[in-house]
């Protein structure tokens, strides 16, 4: 009993001390589920249970009383000269955003400001929700072909720590990472959540699923090296097992390679790789286990099959045709085009030693993608914002906006893709994507009006994540 009391007191003291009342339920369940059999004989169980219940109830009362009398969490107030409501497209003037702890507590022109609140003056800028990038490879760098073989998994993790900081500085407070080796993305996400390294909130896929020899396999070395990427699985049973295994090691979502790709050796971007039945098996398992599915797909048939199999988003969509557009509209599948990368890649690929085969594929696929994606925009498919950052240096993510606008979206639609649409795609509409009470205080600010010049988002001057100011070029 003394050990139990000690454990209970220690746990509750910690809660009271940190004043996190919402964690109380978790602490309670930890105490309740603690098994007395591990410390006591079975005969003592009943007496112990009654004693335990009385003990918990008394501690609960004490804790509620103490928590009620505890001071409120740190308050921060943002004076926003212009505030873009990304839902309506209206720019509101002279708004006050009240932040308590890591959440937005209120927003409006007559918001009450608590005494002693820290005030952030953004009265000369336009304030909008933290941006979301739904397609990054945060642990990877611009190494394609054989130069990628020289990067170890530990080095990849360290690259991720650097790239996460750069991405957050660029105004991206949330990312969905779709492919990394050795679960480096899981480790990075956890390190960021623990406050060990700065970076955006991350939803991660771990290694992408691929057929043997597919885009997401490693096809660089001959047979005797026996090299295969971690996500390779063929056939229904194998893809089911791989999906479960990837979730076991910490993935928030599943990424699959439905067709060939550009930056891989020996495969054709237009060719379907996974069969419809394999994709259906992956999606069924992933959804049952509460994970969304993102499908890399260039070729039209693979896009259509993936959409019909129930994936949540098509990444790239380079050869999307009318039938694929119709399937995506019917199924409500998001299109996450990655377009700006063409500008950087086609200019720099030779200089950085990219193999000729990959450059040739890029020259063919990337311009075609712009033409076809423009047609998909015009047809009204749901659009998410993604970049494939790693195909160009991290931090340039916001260059995607201007290309989306060039291909037919309005600046507001492009901004909505990177806020409310991506929040919906990630399943985080109640957490991120707008500046509203109850959401995480993820906020950015720029000079000028992004609805008039969307490139202003390439020069984000203020970034707040979870109520903490991580960048403020306006500070005197
Ligand atoms: Zn990618």
């Amino acid at each position: 009993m003394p050990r139990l009391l000690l454990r209970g007191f220690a746990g509750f003291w910690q809660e009271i001390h940190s004043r996190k009342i919402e964690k109380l339920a978790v602490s309670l369940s930890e105490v309740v589920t603690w098994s007395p059999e591990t410390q006591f004989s079975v005969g003592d169980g009943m007496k112990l249970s009654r004693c335990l219940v009385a003990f918990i109830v008394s501690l609960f009362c004490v804790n509620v009383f103490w928590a009620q009398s505890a001071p409120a969490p740190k308050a921060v107030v943002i004076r926003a000269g212009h505030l873009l409501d990304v839902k309506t497209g209206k720019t509101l003037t002279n708004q006050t955003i009240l932040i308590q702890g890591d959440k937005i507590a209120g927003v409006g022109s007559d918001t009450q400001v608590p005494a002693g609140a820290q005030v952030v003056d953004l009265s000369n800028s336009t304030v909008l929700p933290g941006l979301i990038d739904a397609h990054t490879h945060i642990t990877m760098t611009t190494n394609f072909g054989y130069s990628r073989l020289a990067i170890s998994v530990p080095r990849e993790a360290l690259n991720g720590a650097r790239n996460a900081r750069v991405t957050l500085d660029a105004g991206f407070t949330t990312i969905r990472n779709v492919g990394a080796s050795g679960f480096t993305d899981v480790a990075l996400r956890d390190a960021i959540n623990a406050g060990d390294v700065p970076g955006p909130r991350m939803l991660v896929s771990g290694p992408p699923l691929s057929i043997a020899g597919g885009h997401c396999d490693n096809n660089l070395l001959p047979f005797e090296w026996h090299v295969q990427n971690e996500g390779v699985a063929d056939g229904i049973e194998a893809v089911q097992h791989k999906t479960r295994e990837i979730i076991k090691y910490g993935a928030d979502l599943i990424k699959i390679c439905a067709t060939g790709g550009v930056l891989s050796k020996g495969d054709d971007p237009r060719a379907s790789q996974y069969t419809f039945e394999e994709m259906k098996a992956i999606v069924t398992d992933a959804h049952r286990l509460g994970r969304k599915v993102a499908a890399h797909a260039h070729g039209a048939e693979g896009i259509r099959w993936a959409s019909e199999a129930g994936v949540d988003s098509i990444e790239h969509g380079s050869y999307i045709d009318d039938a694929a557009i119709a399937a995506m509209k019917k199924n409500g599948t998001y299109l996450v085009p990655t377009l700006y990368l063409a500008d950087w890649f086609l200019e720099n690929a030779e200089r950085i030693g990219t193999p000729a085969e990959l450059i040739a594929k890029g020259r063919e696929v990337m311009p075609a993608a712009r033409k076809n994606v423009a047609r998909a925009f015009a047809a009204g498919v749901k659009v998410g914002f993604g970049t494939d950052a790693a195909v160009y240096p991290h931090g340039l993510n916001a260059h995607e906006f201007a290309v989306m606008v060039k291909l037919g979206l309005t600046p507001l639609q492009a901004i909505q893709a990177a806020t409310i649409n991506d929040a919906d795609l990630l399943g985080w509409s109640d957490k991120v994507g707008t500046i509203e009470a109850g959401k995480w205080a993820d906020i950015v600010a720029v000079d000028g009006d992004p609805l008039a010049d969307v490139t202003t988002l390439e020069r984000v001057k203020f970034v707040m994540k979870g109520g903490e100011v991580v960048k403020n070029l306006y500070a005197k």
Side-chain angles (χ1 to χ4, degrees):
M1 195 60 195
R3 285 185 69 169
L4 178 67
L5 273 168
L6 215 60
R7 190 186 164 95
F9 270 120
F12 277 93
W13 176 251
Q14 206 179 3
E15 294 305 332
I16 291 160
H17 192 66
S18 64
R19 299 188 182 103
K20 283 180 181 163
I21 188 75
E22 69 270 19
K23 281 196 179 163
L24 181 63
V26 178
S27 302
L28 275 171
S29 69
E30 273 171 14
V31 174
V32 171
T33 55
W34 184 82
S35 167
E37 280 77 7
T38 59
Q39 300 290 328
F40 299 89
S41 71
V42 178
D44 292 336
M46 284 301 290
K47 256 189 284 170
L48 179 68
S49 305
R50 260 179 265 134
C51 175
L52 185 60
V53 168
F55 171 69
I56 290 166
V57 168
S58 61
L59 277 178
F60 182 78
C61 296
V62 169
N63 199 37
V64 165
F65 173 77
W66 283 20
Q68 278 172 350
S69 59
K74 188 182 121 190
V76 180
V77 162
I78 293 178
R79 302 281 189 199
H82 301 271
L83 176 71
L84 177 59
D85 180 335
V86 294
K87 277 185 175 165
T88 63
K90 289 206 176 86
T91 301
L92 311 166
T93 52
N94 299 322
Q95 299 289 296
T96 300
I97 307 166
L98 172 62
I99 295 135
Q100 302 267 20
D102 60 355
K103 302 260 171 59
I104 296 164
V107 54
S109 51
D110 54 359
T111 307
Q112 293 291 318
V113 176
Q118 177 198 339
V119 177
V120 178
D121 180 20
L122 300 177
S123 52
N124 293 318
S125 46
T126 301
V127 174
L128 60 163
L131 304 170
I132 306 169
D133 186 339
H135 190 125
T136 64
H137 300 280
I138 198 78
T139 63
M140 297 182 181
T141 46
T142 53
N143 287 280
F144 314 115
Y146 289 89
S147 66
R148 189 168 277 178
L149 295 177
I151 299 171
S152 66
V153 167
R155 186 71 174 98
E156 187 179 319
L158 291 166
N159 284 336
R162 175 203 174 270
N163 297 336
R165 177 172 45 78
V166 168
T167 304
L168 181 61
D169 262 11
F172 289 82
T173 50
T174 300
I175 61 168
R176 187 181 67 154
N177 203 67
V178 287
S181 306
F183 293 91
T184 45
D185 51 355
V186 170
L188 181 60
R189 174 200 66 194
D190 293 349
I192 290 169
N193 287 346
D196 295 337
V197 294
R201 305 178 191 285
M202 290 177 66
L203 287 171
V204 306
S205 73
L209 269 77
S210 174
I211 65 162
H215 171 61
C216 296
D217 193 2
N218 181 340
N219 311 321
L220 294 166
L221 298 170
F223 168 74
E224 62 269 30
W225 291 83
H226 303 292
V227 171
Q228 188 175 67
N229 268 358
E230 298 141 350
V232 170
D234 296 292
I236 305 289
E237 270 187 44
V239 296
Q240 285 172 330
H241 177 76
K242 187 59 76 177
T243 301
R244 295 167 195 182
E245 185 184 80
I246 287 171
I247 291 170
K248 168 183 170 176
Y249 291 116
D252 302 299
L253 70 138
I254 295 295
K255 161 85 179 290
I256 65 173
C257 286
T259 73
V262 176
L263 298 172
S264 45
K265 187 183 170 192
D267 64 330
D268 175 2
R270 289 172 184 262
S272 303
Q273 293 192 340
Y274 271 126
T275 64
F276 171 76
E277 289 75 18
E278 285 169 319
M279 289 196 272
K280 183 89 190 152
I282 294 166
V283 171
T284 303
D285 251 36
H287 283 177
R288 196 181 68 253
L289 297 170
R291 266 58 168 197
K292 298 204 175 205
V293 181
H296 156 106
H298 292 289
E301 182 184 64
I303 296 170
R304 190 159 43 80
W305 283 357
S307 175
E308 296 291 10
V311 305
D312 299 279
S313 61
I314 296 292
E315 313 296 307
H316 318 300
S318 303
Y319 291 104
I320 192 165
D321 64 4
D322 289 345
I325 288 170
M328 288 180 66
K329 287 182 76 172
K330 173 172 70 86
N331 298 318
T333 319
Y334 272 99
L335 174 64
V336 180
T338 55
L339 302 159
Y340 166 70
L341 58 82
D343 293 346
W344 193 92
F345 180 80
L346 296 176
E347 197 180 320
N348 294 285
E350 272 176 51
R351 178 181 62 80
I352 61 173
T354 309
E357 178 195 342
L358 310 192
I359 297 175
K361 285 205 275 186
R363 285 193 182 130
E364 193 183 322
V365 175
M366 291 170 182
R370 292 198 176 192
K371 212 165 58 110
N372 296 323
V373 166
R375 291 182 60 246
F377 284 168
V381 297
K382 294 204 292 190
V383 178
F385 180 101
T387 62
D388 226 355
V391 176
Y392 55 82
H394 293 270
L396 300 179
N397 313 51
H399 287 243
E400 187 76 17
F401 287 108
V403 188
M404 290 174 112
V405 169
K406 202 164 127 193
L407 298 183
L409 296 191
T410 64
L412 177 64
Q413 286 172 325
I415 293 167
Q416 286 173 330
T419 52
I420 49 176
N421 294 9
D422 271 359
D424 180 44
L425 170 59
L426 270 53
W428 272 11
S429 288
D430 58 338
K431 295 178 168 69
V432 297
T434 60
I435 297 176
E436 287 179 304
K439 296 204 177 175
W440 277 318
D442 295 353
I443 293 165
V444 299
V446 294
D447 286 339
D449 178 5
L451 296 183
D453 175 11
V454 83
T455 69
T456 189
L457 294 170
E458 295 167 15
R459 298 172 292 281
V460 166
K461 296 206 163 167
F462 171 88
V463 182
M464 169 182 276
K465 181 193 157 202
E468 298 287 335
V469 177
V470 295
K471 174 182 183 177
N472 188 1
L473 301 184
Y474 296 113
K476 292 181 185 100

